[in-house]
Amino acid sequence: MKITHQLALACALSVAALCVTGPSIAHEIKLGNLVIHHPWIKQPPGGAEVASAYTTIDNNGKEDDTLLSIAVDGASMTMIHEMKMEGDVMKMHEVQGGLTIPAGKTVELQPKSYHVMLMGLKAPFMEGEEVKGSFTFAKAGKVDVDFEVVAASANAPMKH
């Protein structure tokens, strides 16, 4: 009887832990030779009409592919941007023609680097929320994804 009670308690604690960490568990989406790791959006400050989205993409194939576009529900427009230092100034510009994902390489969309600008937000994105979207690649095609909204102070999502 004591063993059964301990087993039931352990199961209950495991389920509770999953409920607490659910949105923070990293997820990946496979599309042919591409793997998209944990797409996420940084929660914008209250009232902001722009936000940024991030992910990591592995190309396990033998041919380059190009990320042509990303669509995100609740954003009127999205653009793939690059931020980089030019002298002492951080500059940001749209990546024309899409973002190349080289064969056998990994491309990170992260703060202060490549990222997706979400503009014309129809409502604020809130921490813990999942937002539907899609990625379109030149060769691999289109795939639906879920973006996790993380705290504004986060630099990357928590991974397990």
Side-chain angles (χ1 to χ4, degrees):
M1 184 79 115
K2 186 174 186 175
I3 292 174
T4 304
H5 177 44
Q6 289 174 339
L7 182 58
L9 180 59
C11 287
L13 289 173
S14 296
V15 169
L18 284 174
C19 290
V20 169
T21 61
S24 298
I25 295 174
H27 61 285
E28 63 184 30
I29 301 96
K30 295 181 181 178
L31 178 65
N33 291 316
L34 301 176
V35 182
I36 301 166
H37 297 275
H38 195 81
W40 60 285
I41 297 170
K42 185 179 282 194
Q43 180 182 351
E49 293 185 14
V50 297
S52 300
Y54 310 96
T55 192
T56 299
I57 304 170
D58 297 329
N59 183 346
N60 298 320
K62 296 182 189 237
E63 293 183 331
D64 294 354
D65 205 337
T66 302
L67 176 60
L68 298 174
S69 63
I70 298 174
V72 178
D73 288 358
S76 299
M77 183 169 43
T78 62
M79 289 183 194
I80 301 169
H81 277 190
E82 178 183 23
M83 286 183 81
K84 63 181 177 180
M85 292 298 292
E86 291 182 13
D88 292 338
V89 179
M90 178 69 80
K91 295 205 174 183
M92 179 171 60
H93 63 88
E94 182 178 7
V95 177
Q96 298 295 320
L99 179 61
T100 301
I101 314 298
K105 302 286 182 182
T106 298
V107 173
E108 294 185 14
L109 284 79
Q110 61 187 356
K112 299 181 183 173
S113 182
Y114 291 111
H115 61 280
V116 181
M117 286 301 303
L118 312 175
M119 294 165 278
L121 301 183
K122 297 172 183 150
F125 293 133
M126 303 306 292
E127 180 181 359
E129 175 181 16
E130 284 193 2
V131 179
K132 301 280 184 200
S134 63
F135 286 67
T136 302
F137 295 90
K139 295 178 183 168
K142 183 177 178 180
V143 63
D144 292 332
V145 301
D146 290 322
F147 290 86
E148 176 189 6
V149 180
V150 301
S153 61
N155 285 321
M158 192 167 85
K159 295 181 182 176
H160 296 293

